[in-house]
Amino acid sequence: MSGPYVRIAGWGKYLPQRVLTNSELEAMVDTSDEWIRSRSGIGERRIAAPGETASSMASEAALAALRVAGVQPEELDLIIVATATPDHVAMPSTASLLQHALGASRAGAFDLTAACSGFVYALVTGAQFVQTGLYRTVLVAAAEVYSRILDWQDRATCVLFGDAAGAVVLQATDRPGGLLASLLGSDGSGACQLYVPAGGSALPTSHQTVEQRQHFIRMKGREVFRFATTTVPEAVLRVLDAAHLAPEEVDLLIPHQANIRIIDAVTRRLGLREEAVFTNVDRYGNTSAASIPVALCEALEQGRLHPGANLVMVAFGGGLSWAAAAWKWH
Ligand code: COA
């Protein structure tokens, strides 16, 4: 491929201050620290303060990413926000609210919905605008406030998720690198394995939907586990093949941080060294679309990415959906 190439020029994350520990959850539902740690690897998660929203958290992450990139908000051509927990269900888009909060006066803005796969979907989408030469500077953000759509009486789901936001600034460059290959996948036959039944056009809000707690996440944990452990390694192998890379050439894999047992299974299946796989699920739980950009920021803070490194990001979630991107860091 010849240029323009796409580069991640800036990155930022935002984690709400409030830490919710497993011990605190023991007082809320019939669970234990031991059960949560052994089944998911999660020790604690963050919970947004009452005034915080997807757009306010995305704004914090985006400002950090713009600072790292040395880019002014007015330079942005486009803003994409991946979220399953937008500020408003129908309109406006969370991306429009973020555009206004940043003062990104020249930017178009839209939301992208692909649940936990949302950031990788949005990254690949944003990269296309840069690689085709249409835009030079694109902000891709992911922000999730799952604490607002969790049923805090359902121990099977409420212990697994947390709130967070992350963002990257994509820029055009003549230097080879960036997105090498990508894969976007979907299997809507599994829609009901991970979903929020009511509040949309299929089942509009009513007294009954509220009484029946249908505005909260429902999940078939075992089915989702099976789906993830088969689909994720397959997606990574396919994207590596398309990028002409072997698994041993992966310098860093950033998988969606849903569950340490899923991450371990994927690591084993791909034959990767443990050091080549990033995890922080113990501290944040599953932050849906925000998990990969937050992990990317922490990997960079820890010096785990150097110019020329082969990075693979892979996500899966509601839809069912999955997405993978092979990226040459530069
Ligand atoms: N605390 C204590 N017990 C719990 C519990 C909790 N928080 N949640 C469920 N249980 C119970 C169940 O009721 C069940 O009890 P039973 O056998 O008496 O019916 C028992 O624990 C075992 O449940 P099971 O579903 O078999 O556990 P599991 O080993 O499959 O682990 C998950 C459950 C959810 C951790 C696991 O299936 C998983 O990680 N799935 C993927 C979920 C995911 O990542 N979703 C997001 C994708 S983006």
Side-chain angles (χ1 to χ4, degrees), residues 3 135 179 200 220 307:
Y135 291 141
L179 184 63
K220 294 185 182 140

Side-chain angles (χ1 to χ4, degrees), residues 193-194 219-229 316 320:
Q193 290 180 15
L194 185 53
M219 183 178 74
K220 294 185 182 140
R222 275 181 220 179
E223 282 87 338
V224 175
F225 191 93
R226 244 194 318 273
F227 150 71
T229 48
F316 60 93
L320 298 169

Side-chain angles (χ1 to χ4, degrees), residues 30-32 35-36 39-40 116 155-156 159-161 194 219 221-222 224-225 256 258-259 261-262 286 316-318:
D30 181 13
T31 190
S32 66
W35 192 96
I36 301 170
R39 295 304 213 287
S40 70
C116 299
R155 66 177 184 173
V159 303
L160 298 176
F161 296 90
L194 185 53
M219 183 178 74
R222 275 181 220 179
V224 175
F225 191 93
H256 170 43
N259 183 317
R261 289 193 302 154
I262 294 174
N286 180 346
F316 60 93

Side-chain angles (χ1 to χ4, degrees), residues 135-150:
Y135 291 141
R136 292 198 62 80
T137 311
V138 175
L139 177 76
V140 176
E144 299 286 18
V145 205
Y146 269 47
S147 59
R148 309 261 160 83
I149 58 163
L150 284 172

